[in-house]
Amino acid sequence: MVVLFLLGGGLRFSYLLELQRHPDFQVPLEYQQDMGFNDNTSLALAQYVRRKLSLPPIEEQFERNNVWTQKSGDYLFRPPAYTVFLATLYVVLGDNQFGVRLCQLLLGLCSACMCYLLGRHLYGLWAAIILYVFMLFYWPLVIYENALHSPVLAIFTGIVFLNSAFYWMRRTDVWRASLMGLALSVYTLTVTAMLPFLLLMPLWMLWVQHPFQKTWQSVRRTASSIVIFLIIFSVPVASVTLYNYVVSGKVVVISGIAGMTLYIGNQPGAEGYLTGSETLLDQFVPEGERHLSVDEKAARVQWPEVSALAYKTAMDHIRRNPG
């Protein structure tokens, strides 16, 4: 286990050192709009926090290739957890791309260790080791741990949630239910698509406890766990919903990316494949600006209107082409 861990860590560190020799790859390139959005938004948030803490501003070490960022008057376009995570690293480390990526690859190593625990609980020792090896050496994971993008945090928070669920299974008390609620909440603030999963959790908790509910006390303990789980889950998510309403006047539970995500795979001409959103953006920029890059167009449009049209267009296309 230790040897595998060191080999996986060495693989990540060697790739990180390789990136340091190519400065152009340390910040998002022009075509990497998603990573550029994350980088710009997190850096702006970090600058704001440092001003509030009376700290000197962050000195940028690289020229940014993208201009798209979260607008102050809009609801959140993307789930906030990765933005807050990256902004925290910028507040502490400054514009230190080596330090940021080093923290992310350490997060990846932690994910591998927690996957070992998860596999051991579910299927036994050898399954745990196979999963551990996969998490340490699967190359796309290593690449994303060195990118300014949310998968590294999504994987970590998802595994934390799954482990917290099995932790509650071993002893179904209120304290462990609260940890599970917090873990799922943070996971959902990283991956908004997990929100509907909340509906299944109370049913799963009842199913887990059903064979043991022989007494009124056990029924009450399970009911208390479900209530506490839902309350703890709701507080962070409701805070984000309230923030969205205060800044934009619109009720958006977490983020407004869902319409665009649906559109990219289900727009006219997509035919089941991912297709760019530039034709949609062209409807919201003046004709004289249609020569600009997708990144520059994205920075100019009002995303609430774009997302609403994207959702409607995608749903209309799905209804007309159910196959």
Side-chain angles (χ1 to χ4, degrees), residues 17-37:
L17 292 178
E18 183 181 348
L19 286 179
Q20 296 306 302
R21 295 196 294 270
H22 300 278
D24 287 347
F25 287 93
Q26 295 187 45
V27 291
L29 300 176
E30 290 182 5
Y31 65 87
Q32 296 171 321
Q33 291 96 18
D34 290 342
M35 285 189 276
F37 179 90

Side-chain angles (χ1 to χ4, degrees), residues 1 30 39 106 109 149 175 192 209 214 237 252 256-257 272 307 310:
M1 294 284 292
E30 290 182 5
D39 181 41
L106 290 174
L109 292 173
H149 214 340
W175 164 247
T192 308
Q209 279 300 290
K214 306 296 185 183
V237 173
V252 178
I257 195 174
S307 292

Side-chain angles (χ1 to χ4, degrees), residues 31-228:
Y31 65 87
Q32 296 171 321
Q33 291 96 18
D34 290 342
M35 285 189 276
F37 179 90
N38 293 334
D39 181 41
N40 292 335
T41 304
S42 299
L43 188 61
L45 177 58
Q47 296 283 29
Y48 172 80
V49 171
R50 287 180 72 97
R51 283 198 305 271
K52 290 296 182 181
L53 296 176
S54 300
L55 296 173
I58 297 170
E59 183 178 348
E60 296 187 28
Q61 300 299 314
F62 302 92
E63 182 179 355
R64 262 58 186 181
N65 300 306
N66 293 276
V67 296
W68 185 25
T69 188
Q70 175 72 42
K71 295 181 180 178
S72 58
D74 286 350
Y75 54 71
L76 295 177
F77 181 69
R78 291 187 176 278
Y82 182 75
T83 300
V84 173
F85 169 76
L86 184 57
T88 302
L89 294 180
Y90 281 150
V91 168
V92 176
L93 303 174
D95 190 13
N96 184 337
Q97 296 298 315
F98 179 86
V100 167
R101 285 166 168 79
L102 181 62
C103 291
Q104 292 195 166
L105 70 84
L106 290 174
L107 208 62
L109 292 173
C110 290
S111 295
C113 293
M114 289 191 299
C115 270
Y116 170 81
L117 297 175
L118 190 63
R120 187 73 182 263
H121 178 88
L122 282 171
Y123 298 113
L125 176 61
W126 285 109
I129 292 175
I130 291 171
L131 183 55
Y132 181 67
V133 170
F134 174 83
M135 294 297 293
L136 285 174
F137 298 106
Y138 183 54
W139 187 242
L141 297 182
V142 180
I143 291 176
Y144 270 107
E145 288 164 19
N146 283 279
L148 302 180
H149 214 340
S150 60
V152 59
L153 188 64
I155 292 168
F156 177 78
T157 54
I159 297 167
V160 168
F161 162 64
L162 290 172
N163 275 290
S164 71
F166 290 115
Y167 183 62
W168 176 81
M169 277 182 66
R170 288 195 289 271
R171 191 170 73 237
T172 56
D173 58 27
V174 170
W175 164 247
R176 296 187 181 206
S178 64
L179 289 178
M180 185 169 60
L182 180 61
L184 181 58
S185 184
V186 175
Y187 185 26
T188 305
L189 292 177
T190 310
V191 184
T192 308
M194 288 306 300
L195 189 60
F197 190 69
L198 176 67
L199 302 175
L200 296 177
M201 286 303 297
L203 299 176
W204 175 78
M205 295 169 77
L206 288 171
W207 176 75
V208 166
Q209 279 300 290
H210 175 69
F212 308 105
Q213 291 181 353
K214 306 296 185 183
T215 65
W216 168 248
Q217 184 179 8
S218 64
V219 173
R220 186 177 61 182
R221 186 170 63 246
T222 303
S224 299
S225 289
I226 292 173
V227 170
I228 290 297

